[in-house]
Structure formats: C-alpha cells, structure tokens
Amino acid sequence: MSDLYAKNGEWKPKNPIRKYQFIYHFLPHPDHGKRAKLLSLSAFQAYISVLILLVILLSSLHRFMPGLLGYASNINIKDLLVETNKKREELGLNDLRINPVLSEAARQKAEHMFQNNYWAHVAPDGTEPWDFILGEGYDYVYAGENLAKNFGNSDDVVEAWYNSPTHRENLLNGHYSEIGFAVVDGVLDGYETTLVVQMFGAPRGAGQAAEIYDENKILQEVEESNASVVVAPPAQAELPAFAISGPAEVLPTLDVSYVSKGLSLMFGSFVIVLLGLDFWYTRKYGVVKINGNTLAHITYLLIVIVSIWFLLKPGSVL
Amino acid sequence: MSRSEKNLLLYLVLLIGMLVFFVCIIFFRYDRFALTLISVLGSIFYIFWGIIHHVLEGRLKKEVVVEYVFLSVVAFLLFYLVLYS
C-alpha cells in the first residue's frame, strides 16, 4: 500500500492510472509485487506455446495450402557470373568463362533435385554432380559444384558462397577456367523455391577452351534455357510434379522468409516494450518485486532482435 | 569484493557474452546448423548468468530461475522461427 495516502479520511491512489486495472496487464502491480500480467510466467508459457505453434504452422502450411508460402527471388545468371568474377579479380585470379555445356549440366542437376525432392550434392539414388557434367559430354580435369536456395538476389548468393570456406574454395580455385549456372524455380519440400546451381570446370585439352567465345550470346541462351523450365506446384498432396512449359515465373503468395522474420521481430519487440515499461514503471514508482534482471532481459532480447533483423538473411548454401 | 564491484563484473561478463554471441552470429550467418547451436548456447549462457547473478545478490528464487529459462526459450524460438520456417 506504499503509494496510497490518506486525505480527508479516504484512501486515494497517488498514481492516477491505478484506477484503470487493465493497465496492470502492461505494468507491474505495486501491491502484488509482481511483473505485469503480460510478463508473468503463465504469459511466457503462452508465448512459448504460440511460438511453437507458429513454427509448426509455417513448416506445415504448404501441405494444406501449397503455393501460399515460398521464397520470392530475383536472381539472374549474368549477375551471378559478374559477381563471381569480381571476387576472383580481387585476388588476381582469371575470369571464368560461361560454358553452355556446364550450364546445361547445372540445369539438369536443379531439375533432378526438384524431381526427386532433395537438396544435396549427391542424390538419394547416388547420382553425383560429375554424372551431370560427364553426361553432357564435358570432359574435365577439374570440376566443382556450389548450390544455393531461397536467396532473394544474385549478390546475396555469391556473398554466401564467398563467406563459406568450402564454397569459397570453389569460387576462388585457380584451376577452373569455365563455369555454368542454373537458376530454376520449383517446389521443394512443399515451398516455392529458387535453386541456384553453379558448376565449375577445367576442360581436358585446349579444344573446348579455344572456341569462339561470345559471352553475351551464351548468357542469353543459358537464361532462355533456364526460363523454359518451371517446376509446377503439386496439384495434390503428392511429390512435386515436374513440367516443361513456356517462360514463366513461379511466385508464392507470401514470401515465407519475410513472414517468419516479421513475426519473430514483432513478437520480440512486443516483449521488449513490455520489459521497457516494467523497467520504467518500477523505477518511477519504486515498485518492490523479486524477478529476473529486467535490464539484462532487454539487452539479451535486443541482441536477438538485431541479429534477426540484420543478419539472418534467407537462403542457404551447400 | 564489494557488491557494486560484483555487479560490475557480472554485467561485464554479460556484455562480453552478448558480444561474443553477436560476433558468432555474424561469422556463421550462412550456416544454419551453427546458428542453431549458437542460439542454444546463447540461451544456456543467459540462464546461467541469471542464476549466478541472483545467487550473488542473495535473492535467487524458483520463479526467477523459471523466468530466465522462459525468456531464453522465447529468444531461442524467435531464432528458430526465422531459421527453420
């Protein structure tokens, strides 16, 4: 009863907002010596349950509403080539030349992943990257493969490869002289996805490398070849169907990365605001209560929110 | 060591811990498994920091420990939601 005082024989609240009991959902109660109701342990239990439900919902929504969630992207082969060569030039390495045969092998690898619903260098049936390269008649001395999925733009893809030691090894390998790309849209694990396959090679013999090289023409051909392949969303709750159709773009209704990031940021900010109110009100009105360190909670959650906001970009490399 | 010195030391440990947490996230930002591990370790570190902080202050209660555990779980789930959804 610390903030009550007697006046004309009546007890009246010193703090005028106390008469609005609803406010104690957001502010600590001076008499009870506890946090706001929305920061109580039972509220935290509810938050944890809601977050778990959101994780389950976002991971399983594609089964009930295919095509609703996915990853929207704006990746093109020319930018991938320019960015890759830029990274190599920084280290004084030779530029890689786009090779349509390697690009075709990359495209087939992407299609194979969609058709068989996997995300790996080696397919569940044992097919290896070299099988696609050799299958296209590309005889090599050195060859390599980088994969990426769910990125929003070309720069992020190359940056992700560059920041991963094993992929950087491929990106900056001086043995390679040629490169092929595939950027293919489709449905993987139920999500609209853009897969990027990068294949490196050094052809055996000079014959293949000595051909007339028209980068723009090859790029145009490769882009056209990629655009002609779209893996259609499954009509039923079966494995994704594969279809060859005219140039088209598969875009989800909602970008899953933005949805999850948005929800996560909103939720975290909501708890931080509540903790901030708790900190301010406790200091201002000298509320006595035993609980965790509010300032430490705010610091920890702020670090988490900043990390999610700035660093957790969508996409993964393999 | 006086109480204020202990507090200062504890806050310093928390800040260094948070800084290491943040740097690790920057460094492994493209490695989903590493990020999951970092977020788990960050949560565990925070729970232990909270317990030690309250033990040294002589006001450790079951509810306080549960609060640290719940907040750490919420922080982990916020990461998990972005990483795996």
Side-chain angles (χ1 to χ4, degrees), chain A residues 168-221:
Chain A
R168 186 166 57 224
E169 213 170 278
N170 264 340
L171 213 66
L172 304 178
N173 191 324
H175 289 123
Y176 300 138
S177 56
E178 296 184 338
I179 195 166
F181 290 103
V183 181
V184 182
D185 293 323
V187 179
L188 194 71
D189 284 332
Y191 287 120
E192 299 289 359
T193 302
T194 299
L195 291 181
V196 182
V197 181
Q198 183 183 43
M199 282 186 168
F200 303 89
R204 195 182 298 278
Q208 278 170 286
E211 286 172 5
I212 297 165
Y213 180 66
D214 185 345
E215 184 176 291
N216 287 332
K217 192 181 169 197
I218 297 171
L219 276 172
Q220 195 184 343
E221 282 170 7

Short mmCIF file of all heavy atoms in Angstrom, two decimals, chain A residues 168-221:
data_model
loop_
_atom_site.label_atom_id
_atom_site.label_comp_id
_atom_site.label_asym_id
_atom_site.label_seq_id
_atom_site.Cartn_x
_atom_site.Cartn_y
_atom_site.Cartn_z
N ARG A 168 33.95 -21.04 -50.93
CA ARG A 168 34.94 -20.05 -51.39
C ARG A 168 36.09 -20.75 -52.11
O ARG A 168 36.65 -20.24 -53.07
CB ARG A 168 35.46 -19.23 -50.20
CG ARG A 168 36.38 -18.09 -50.61
CD ARG A 168 36.62 -17.10 -49.52
NE ARG A 168 37.19 -17.72 -48.34
CZ ARG A 168 36.81 -17.47 -47.11
NH1 ARG A 168 35.86 -16.61 -46.88
NH2 ARG A 168 37.38 -18.07 -46.09
N GLU A 169 36.42 -21.95 -51.60
CA GLU A 169 37.48 -22.74 -52.21
C GLU A 169 37.18 -22.98 -53.69
O GLU A 169 38.05 -22.89 -54.55
CB GLU A 169 37.59 -24.08 -51.49
CG GLU A 169 38.99 -24.63 -51.40
CD GLU A 169 39.03 -25.82 -50.47
OE1 GLU A 169 39.11 -25.62 -49.24
OE2 GLU A 169 38.96 -26.95 -50.98
N ASN A 170 35.92 -23.31 -53.98
CA ASN A 170 35.50 -23.50 -55.37
C ASN A 170 35.52 -22.17 -56.12
O ASN A 170 36.03 -22.08 -57.24
CB ASN A 170 34.07 -24.05 -55.42
CG ASN A 170 34.04 -25.56 -55.55
OD1 ASN A 170 35.03 -26.18 -55.96
ND2 ASN A 170 32.92 -26.16 -55.20
N LEU A 171 34.94 -21.15 -55.48
CA LEU A 171 34.79 -19.84 -56.12
C LEU A 171 36.14 -19.26 -56.53
O LEU A 171 36.27 -18.62 -57.57
CB LEU A 171 34.10 -18.89 -55.12
CG LEU A 171 33.17 -17.84 -55.64
CD1 LEU A 171 31.94 -18.44 -56.28
CD2 LEU A 171 32.71 -16.94 -54.47
N LEU A 172 37.15 -19.50 -55.68
CA LEU A 172 38.46 -18.88 -55.91
C LEU A 172 39.52 -19.91 -56.32
O LEU A 172 40.71 -19.70 -56.09
CB LEU A 172 38.92 -18.14 -54.65
CG LEU A 172 37.96 -17.08 -54.10
CD1 LEU A 172 38.50 -16.47 -52.83
CD2 LEU A 172 37.70 -15.99 -55.13
N ASN A 173 39.07 -21.00 -56.91
CA ASN A 173 40.02 -22.03 -57.32
C ASN A 173 40.64 -21.65 -58.67
O ASN A 173 39.95 -21.49 -59.68
CB ASN A 173 39.28 -23.38 -57.44
CG ASN A 173 40.24 -24.53 -57.61
OD1 ASN A 173 41.27 -24.41 -58.27
ND2 ASN A 173 39.90 -25.65 -57.00
N GLY A 174 41.97 -21.51 -58.66
CA GLY A 174 42.68 -21.09 -59.87
C GLY A 174 42.73 -22.14 -60.97
O GLY A 174 43.08 -21.84 -62.11
N HIS A 175 42.37 -23.38 -60.64
CA HIS A 175 42.39 -24.45 -61.65
C HIS A 175 41.23 -24.33 -62.63
O HIS A 175 41.29 -24.83 -63.74
CB HIS A 175 42.32 -25.82 -60.97
CG HIS A 175 43.58 -26.19 -60.25
ND1 HIS A 175 43.60 -26.50 -58.91
CD2 HIS A 175 44.87 -26.26 -60.67
CE1 HIS A 175 44.85 -26.76 -58.55
NE2 HIS A 175 45.63 -26.62 -59.60
N TYR A 176 40.14 -23.70 -62.18
CA TYR A 176 38.96 -23.64 -63.05
C TYR A 176 39.11 -22.53 -64.10
O TYR A 176 39.67 -21.47 -63.82
CB TYR A 176 37.70 -23.35 -62.23
CG TYR A 176 37.37 -24.38 -61.19
CD1 TYR A 176 36.93 -24.01 -59.92
CD2 TYR A 176 37.47 -25.74 -61.49
CE1 TYR A 176 36.62 -24.95 -58.96
CE2 TYR A 176 37.17 -26.69 -60.52
CZ TYR A 176 36.75 -26.29 -59.26
OH TYR A 176 36.45 -27.24 -58.31
N SER A 177 38.58 -22.79 -65.26
CA SER A 177 38.59 -21.76 -66.31
C SER A 177 37.17 -21.50 -66.83
O SER A 177 36.92 -20.48 -67.46
CB SER A 177 39.49 -22.20 -67.47
OG SER A 177 39.05 -23.46 -67.96
N GLU A 178 36.25 -22.43 -66.56
CA GLU A 178 34.88 -22.27 -67.09
C GLU A 178 33.85 -22.47 -65.98
O GLU A 178 34.12 -23.10 -64.95
CB GLU A 178 34.64 -23.28 -68.21
CG GLU A 178 35.56 -23.02 -69.40
CD GLU A 178 35.30 -23.94 -70.58
OE1 GLU A 178 34.72 -25.03 -70.39
OE2 GLU A 178 35.68 -23.57 -71.69
N ILE A 179 32.68 -21.94 -66.27
CA ILE A 179 31.62 -22.01 -65.25
C ILE A 179 30.25 -22.16 -65.92
O ILE A 179 30.06 -21.73 -67.08
CB ILE A 179 31.66 -20.74 -64.36
CG1 ILE A 179 30.84 -20.92 -63.09
CG2 ILE A 179 31.21 -19.50 -65.12
CD1 ILE A 179 31.12 -19.86 -62.04
N GLY A 180 29.33 -22.79 -65.22
CA GLY A 180 27.96 -22.90 -65.73
C GLY A 180 27.00 -22.61 -64.59
O GLY A 180 27.31 -22.87 -63.42
N PHE A 181 25.87 -22.02 -64.93
CA PHE A 181 24.88 -21.69 -63.90
C PHE A 181 23.50 -22.20 -64.29
O PHE A 181 23.17 -22.28 -65.47
CB PHE A 181 24.74 -20.17 -63.73
CG PHE A 181 25.92 -19.49 -63.11
CD1 PHE A 181 26.81 -18.79 -63.90
CD2 PHE A 181 26.13 -19.53 -61.74
CE1 PHE A 181 27.89 -18.15 -63.33
CE2 PHE A 181 27.20 -18.89 -61.17
CZ PHE A 181 28.09 -18.19 -61.97
N ALA A 182 22.70 -22.47 -63.26
CA ALA A 182 21.27 -22.71 -63.49
C ALA A 182 20.51 -22.05 -62.36
O ALA A 182 20.91 -22.14 -61.20
CB ALA A 182 20.98 -24.21 -63.51
N VAL A 183 19.47 -21.33 -62.73
CA VAL A 183 18.57 -20.73 -61.73
C VAL A 183 17.18 -21.25 -62.07
O VAL A 183 16.60 -20.86 -63.08
CB VAL A 183 18.59 -19.18 -61.79
CG1 VAL A 183 17.67 -18.59 -60.74
CG2 VAL A 183 20.01 -18.67 -61.61
N VAL A 184 16.68 -22.15 -61.25
CA VAL A 184 15.42 -22.83 -61.60
C VAL A 184 14.40 -22.68 -60.47
O VAL A 184 14.72 -22.90 -59.30
CB VAL A 184 15.68 -24.33 -61.90
CG1 VAL A 184 14.39 -25.02 -62.32
CG2 VAL A 184 16.72 -24.48 -62.99
N ASP A 185 13.20 -22.30 -60.85
CA ASP A 185 12.10 -22.18 -59.88
C ASP A 185 11.34 -23.50 -59.80
O ASP A 185 11.20 -24.20 -60.81
CB ASP A 185 11.10 -21.10 -60.32
CG ASP A 185 11.71 -19.72 -60.25
OD1 ASP A 185 12.49 -19.47 -59.32
OD2 ASP A 185 11.39 -18.90 -61.13
N GLY A 186 10.85 -23.81 -58.63
CA GLY A 186 10.07 -25.03 -58.49
C GLY A 186 9.57 -25.19 -57.07
O GLY A 186 9.62 -24.25 -56.28
N VAL A 187 9.11 -26.38 -56.77
CA VAL A 187 8.59 -26.65 -55.42
C VAL A 187 9.45 -27.72 -54.77
O VAL A 187 9.57 -28.83 -55.28
CB VAL A 187 7.12 -27.10 -55.48
CG1 VAL A 187 6.59 -27.40 -54.08
CG2 VAL A 187 6.26 -26.03 -56.14
N LEU A 188 10.08 -27.35 -53.69
CA LEU A 188 10.92 -28.29 -52.95
C LEU A 188 10.40 -28.34 -51.51
O LEU A 188 10.24 -27.30 -50.87
CB LEU A 188 12.38 -27.80 -52.97
CG LEU A 188 13.44 -28.80 -52.53
CD1 LEU A 188 13.62 -29.91 -53.56
CD2 LEU A 188 14.78 -28.10 -52.31
N ASP A 189 10.16 -29.52 -51.02
CA ASP A 189 9.60 -29.69 -49.66
C ASP A 189 8.31 -28.89 -49.48
O ASP A 189 8.03 -28.39 -48.39
CB ASP A 189 10.62 -29.26 -48.60
CG ASP A 189 11.70 -30.31 -48.41
OD1 ASP A 189 11.41 -31.50 -48.66
OD2 ASP A 189 12.81 -29.93 -48.05
N GLY A 190 7.59 -28.70 -50.56
CA GLY A 190 6.31 -28.01 -50.47
C GLY A 190 6.38 -26.50 -50.62
O GLY A 190 5.35 -25.83 -50.66
N TYR A 191 7.59 -25.93 -50.67
CA TYR A 191 7.73 -24.48 -50.79
C TYR A 191 8.15 -24.08 -52.20
O TYR A 191 9.00 -24.74 -52.81
CB TYR A 191 8.79 -23.95 -49.82
CG TYR A 191 8.37 -23.93 -48.39
CD1 TYR A 191 9.06 -24.66 -47.43
CD2 TYR A 191 7.27 -23.19 -47.99
CE1 TYR A 191 8.67 -24.65 -46.10
CE2 TYR A 191 6.88 -23.17 -46.66
CZ TYR A 191 7.57 -23.90 -45.73
OH TYR A 191 7.19 -23.88 -44.42
N GLU A 192 7.57 -22.98 -52.67
CA GLU A 192 8.05 -22.38 -53.91
C GLU A 192 9.49 -21.95 -53.65
O GLU A 192 9.76 -21.19 -52.72
CB GLU A 192 7.22 -21.15 -54.26
CG GLU A 192 5.74 -21.43 -54.50
CD GLU A 192 5.48 -22.17 -55.79
OE1 GLU A 192 6.44 -22.46 -56.52
OE2 GLU A 192 4.31 -22.47 -56.07
N THR A 193 10.40 -22.45 -54.45
CA THR A 193 11.82 -22.24 -54.16
C THR A 193 12.59 -21.93 -55.44
O THR A 193 12.23 -22.40 -56.51
CB THR A 193 12.41 -23.53 -53.53
OG1 THR A 193 11.66 -23.83 -52.36
CG2 THR A 193 13.87 -23.39 -53.17
N THR A 194 13.64 -21.14 -55.31
CA THR A 194 14.56 -20.93 -56.42
C THR A 194 15.88 -21.61 -56.08
O THR A 194 16.51 -21.27 -55.08
CB THR A 194 14.79 -19.43 -56.67
OG1 THR A 194 13.54 -18.82 -56.98
CG2 THR A 194 15.75 -19.22 -57.83
N LEU A 195 16.25 -22.58 -56.90
CA LEU A 195 17.53 -23.26 -56.69
C LEU A 195 18.57 -22.66 -57.62
O LEU A 195 18.30 -22.39 -58.80
CB LEU A 195 17.40 -24.76 -57.01
CG LEU A 195 16.57 -25.62 -56.07
CD1 LEU A 195 16.58 -27.07 -56.55
CD2 LEU A 195 17.10 -25.55 -54.65
N VAL A 196 19.76 -22.45 -57.10
CA VAL A 196 20.87 -21.97 -57.92
C VAL A 196 21.96 -23.04 -57.90
O VAL A 196 22.39 -23.48 -56.84
CB VAL A 196 21.45 -20.64 -57.38
CG1 VAL A 196 22.57 -20.15 -58.28
CG2 VAL A 196 20.36 -19.59 -57.27
N VAL A 197 22.36 -23.47 -59.08
CA VAL A 197 23.45 -24.45 -59.20
C VAL A 197 24.59 -23.79 -59.96
O VAL A 197 24.38 -23.20 -61.03
CB VAL A 197 22.99 -25.73 -59.93
CG1 VAL A 197 24.13 -26.74 -60.01
CG2 VAL A 197 21.78 -26.34 -59.24
N GLN A 198 25.77 -23.87 -59.39
CA GLN A 198 26.97 -23.30 -60.02
C GLN A 198 27.94 -24.46 -60.24
O GLN A 198 28.31 -25.15 -59.29
CB GLN A 198 27.57 -22.27 -59.05
CG GLN A 198 28.77 -21.52 -59.58
CD GLN A 198 29.35 -20.58 -58.52
OE1 GLN A 198 29.48 -20.95 -57.36
NE2 GLN A 198 29.70 -19.39 -58.91
N MET A 199 28.33 -24.66 -61.48
CA MET A 199 29.27 -25.75 -61.77
C MET A 199 30.54 -25.21 -62.39
O MET A 199 30.49 -24.40 -63.33
CB MET A 199 28.62 -26.79 -62.69
CG MET A 199 27.67 -27.69 -61.92
SD MET A 199 27.04 -29.02 -62.92
CE MET A 199 26.30 -30.06 -61.67
N PHE A 200 31.66 -25.64 -61.85
CA PHE A 200 32.96 -25.18 -62.33
C PHE A 200 33.64 -26.29 -63.12
O PHE A 200 33.41 -27.48 -62.86
CB PHE A 200 33.87 -24.85 -61.15
CG PHE A 200 33.32 -23.82 -60.21
CD1 PHE A 200 32.53 -24.20 -59.13
CD2 PHE A 200 33.60 -22.47 -60.39
CE1 PHE A 200 32.03 -23.25 -58.24
CE2 PHE A 200 33.10 -21.52 -59.51
CZ PHE A 200 32.32 -21.91 -58.44
N GLY A 201 34.50 -25.90 -64.03
CA GLY A 201 35.23 -26.92 -64.76
C GLY A 201 36.50 -26.39 -65.40
O GLY A 201 36.65 -25.19 -65.64
N ALA A 202 37.41 -27.32 -65.63
CA ALA A 202 38.60 -27.03 -66.43
C ALA A 202 38.64 -28.14 -67.47
O ALA A 202 38.83 -29.32 -67.12
CB ALA A 202 39.85 -27.06 -65.57
N PRO A 203 38.34 -27.82 -68.73
CA PRO A 203 38.21 -28.89 -69.73
C PRO A 203 39.55 -29.57 -70.04
O PRO A 203 40.59 -28.94 -69.98
CB PRO A 203 37.68 -28.14 -70.95
CG PRO A 203 38.11 -26.74 -70.77
CD PRO A 203 38.17 -26.49 -69.30
N ARG A 204 39.42 -30.86 -70.33
CA ARG A 204 40.63 -31.58 -70.74
C ARG A 204 40.96 -31.19 -72.18
O ARG A 204 40.08 -31.19 -73.03
CB ARG A 204 40.36 -33.09 -70.68
CG ARG A 204 41.61 -33.96 -70.73
CD ARG A 204 41.23 -35.42 -70.71
NE ARG A 204 40.53 -35.81 -69.48
CZ ARG A 204 41.14 -36.10 -68.33
NH1 ARG A 204 42.46 -36.07 -68.26
NH2 ARG A 204 40.44 -36.44 -67.27
N GLY A 205 42.18 -30.82 -72.44
CA GLY A 205 42.58 -30.42 -73.78
C GLY A 205 42.20 -28.98 -74.06
O GLY A 205 41.33 -28.40 -73.41
N ALA A 206 42.83 -28.38 -75.06
CA ALA A 206 42.60 -26.95 -75.34
C ALA A 206 41.42 -26.72 -76.26
O ALA A 206 40.94 -25.60 -76.39
CB ALA A 206 43.85 -26.34 -75.96
N GLY A 207 40.96 -27.79 -76.93
CA GLY A 207 39.92 -27.66 -77.95
C GLY A 207 38.68 -26.94 -77.48
O GLY A 207 38.22 -26.01 -78.12
N GLN A 208 38.20 -27.37 -76.30
CA GLN A 208 36.95 -26.80 -75.80
C GLN A 208 37.11 -25.34 -75.42
O GLN A 208 36.22 -24.54 -75.63
CB GLN A 208 36.46 -27.60 -74.59
CG GLN A 208 35.71 -28.84 -75.01
CD GLN A 208 35.44 -29.73 -73.82
OE1 GLN A 208 36.35 -30.38 -73.32
NE2 GLN A 208 34.20 -29.78 -73.41
N ALA A 209 38.31 -25.00 -74.89
CA ALA A 209 38.52 -23.63 -74.43
C ALA A 209 38.84 -22.68 -75.58
O ALA A 209 38.68 -21.48 -75.45
CB ALA A 209 39.65 -23.59 -73.42
N ALA A 210 39.27 -23.24 -76.71
CA ALA A 210 39.72 -22.38 -77.81
C ALA A 210 38.59 -21.92 -78.73
O ALA A 210 38.81 -21.16 -79.65
CB ALA A 210 40.77 -23.12 -78.62
N GLU A 211 37.36 -22.39 -78.46
CA GLU A 211 36.25 -21.98 -79.32
C GLU A 211 35.99 -20.49 -79.21
O GLU A 211 36.37 -19.85 -78.23
CB GLU A 211 34.99 -22.73 -78.88
CG GLU A 211 35.00 -24.20 -79.27
CD GLU A 211 33.84 -24.95 -78.64
OE1 GLU A 211 33.01 -24.31 -78.00
OE2 GLU A 211 33.80 -26.16 -78.81
N ILE A 212 35.32 -19.94 -80.23
CA ILE A 212 34.99 -18.51 -80.20
C ILE A 212 34.04 -18.25 -79.04
O ILE A 212 33.05 -18.96 -78.87
CB ILE A 212 34.35 -18.08 -81.54
CG1 ILE A 212 35.37 -18.27 -82.66
CG2 ILE A 212 33.88 -16.64 -81.49
CD1 ILE A 212 34.78 -18.24 -84.05
N TYR A 213 34.39 -17.26 -78.25
CA TYR A 213 33.65 -17.02 -77.02
C TYR A 213 32.83 -15.75 -77.11
O TYR A 213 33.38 -14.66 -77.21
CB TYR A 213 34.63 -16.96 -75.85
CG TYR A 213 33.98 -16.71 -74.52
CD1 TYR A 213 33.14 -17.66 -73.94
CD2 TYR A 213 34.23 -15.53 -73.84
CE1 TYR A 213 32.56 -17.43 -72.71
CE2 TYR A 213 33.64 -15.29 -72.58
CZ TYR A 213 32.82 -16.26 -72.04
OH TYR A 213 32.24 -16.03 -70.82
N ASP A 214 31.53 -15.90 -77.13
CA ASP A 214 30.65 -14.72 -77.15
C ASP A 214 29.80 -14.80 -75.88
O ASP A 214 28.76 -15.45 -75.84
CB ASP A 214 29.77 -14.76 -78.41
CG ASP A 214 28.91 -13.50 -78.53
OD1 ASP A 214 28.79 -12.77 -77.52
OD2 ASP A 214 28.36 -13.26 -79.62
N GLU A 215 30.29 -14.12 -74.85
CA GLU A 215 29.68 -14.23 -73.53
C GLU A 215 28.20 -13.84 -73.51
O GLU A 215 27.36 -14.55 -72.97
CB GLU A 215 30.45 -13.38 -72.51
CG GLU A 215 29.92 -13.54 -71.09
CD GLU A 215 30.74 -12.76 -70.09
OE1 GLU A 215 31.88 -13.15 -69.84
OE2 GLU A 215 30.22 -11.76 -69.56
N ASN A 216 27.90 -12.71 -74.15
CA ASN A 216 26.52 -12.23 -74.14
C ASN A 216 25.56 -13.21 -74.79
O ASN A 216 24.45 -13.44 -74.30
CB ASN A 216 26.42 -10.87 -74.83
CG ASN A 216 27.03 -9.79 -73.96
OD1 ASN A 216 27.03 -9.91 -72.73
ND2 ASN A 216 27.57 -8.76 -74.58
N LYS A 217 26.03 -13.79 -75.90
CA LYS A 217 25.18 -14.74 -76.63
C LYS A 217 24.94 -15.99 -75.76
O LYS A 217 23.80 -16.47 -75.64
CB LYS A 217 25.85 -15.12 -77.95
CG LYS A 217 24.94 -15.86 -78.89
CD LYS A 217 25.66 -16.23 -80.16
CE LYS A 217 24.81 -17.19 -80.96
NZ LYS A 217 25.57 -17.89 -81.98
N ILE A 218 26.02 -16.47 -75.16
CA ILE A 218 25.90 -17.67 -74.33
C ILE A 218 24.99 -17.39 -73.13
O ILE A 218 24.12 -18.19 -72.78
CB ILE A 218 27.29 -18.16 -73.86
CG1 ILE A 218 28.13 -18.57 -75.06
CG2 ILE A 218 27.15 -19.34 -72.90
CD1 ILE A 218 29.58 -18.86 -74.74
N LEU A 219 25.19 -16.21 -72.52
CA LEU A 219 24.36 -15.85 -71.36
C LEU A 219 22.89 -15.82 -71.73
O LEU A 219 22.03 -16.31 -70.99
CB LEU A 219 24.78 -14.48 -70.82
CG LEU A 219 25.97 -14.47 -69.86
CD1 LEU A 219 26.41 -13.05 -69.56
CD2 LEU A 219 25.61 -15.18 -68.56
N GLN A 220 22.63 -15.24 -72.91
CA GLN A 220 21.23 -15.15 -73.36
C GLN A 220 20.65 -16.54 -73.56
O GLN A 220 19.52 -16.83 -73.14
CB GLN A 220 21.18 -14.35 -74.67
CG GLN A 220 19.77 -13.91 -75.01
CD GLN A 220 19.73 -13.20 -76.36
OE1 GLN A 220 20.75 -12.76 -76.89
NE2 GLN A 220 18.55 -13.10 -76.92
N GLU A 221 21.45 -17.42 -74.16
CA GLU A 221 20.98 -18.79 -74.40
C GLU A 221 20.71 -19.52 -73.09
O GLU A 221 19.70 -20.20 -72.93
CB GLU A 221 22.03 -19.57 -75.21
CG GLU A 221 22.02 -19.23 -76.69
CD GLU A 221 23.21 -19.83 -77.43
OE1 GLU A 221 23.97 -20.62 -76.83
OE2 GLU A 221 23.39 -19.48 -78.60
#
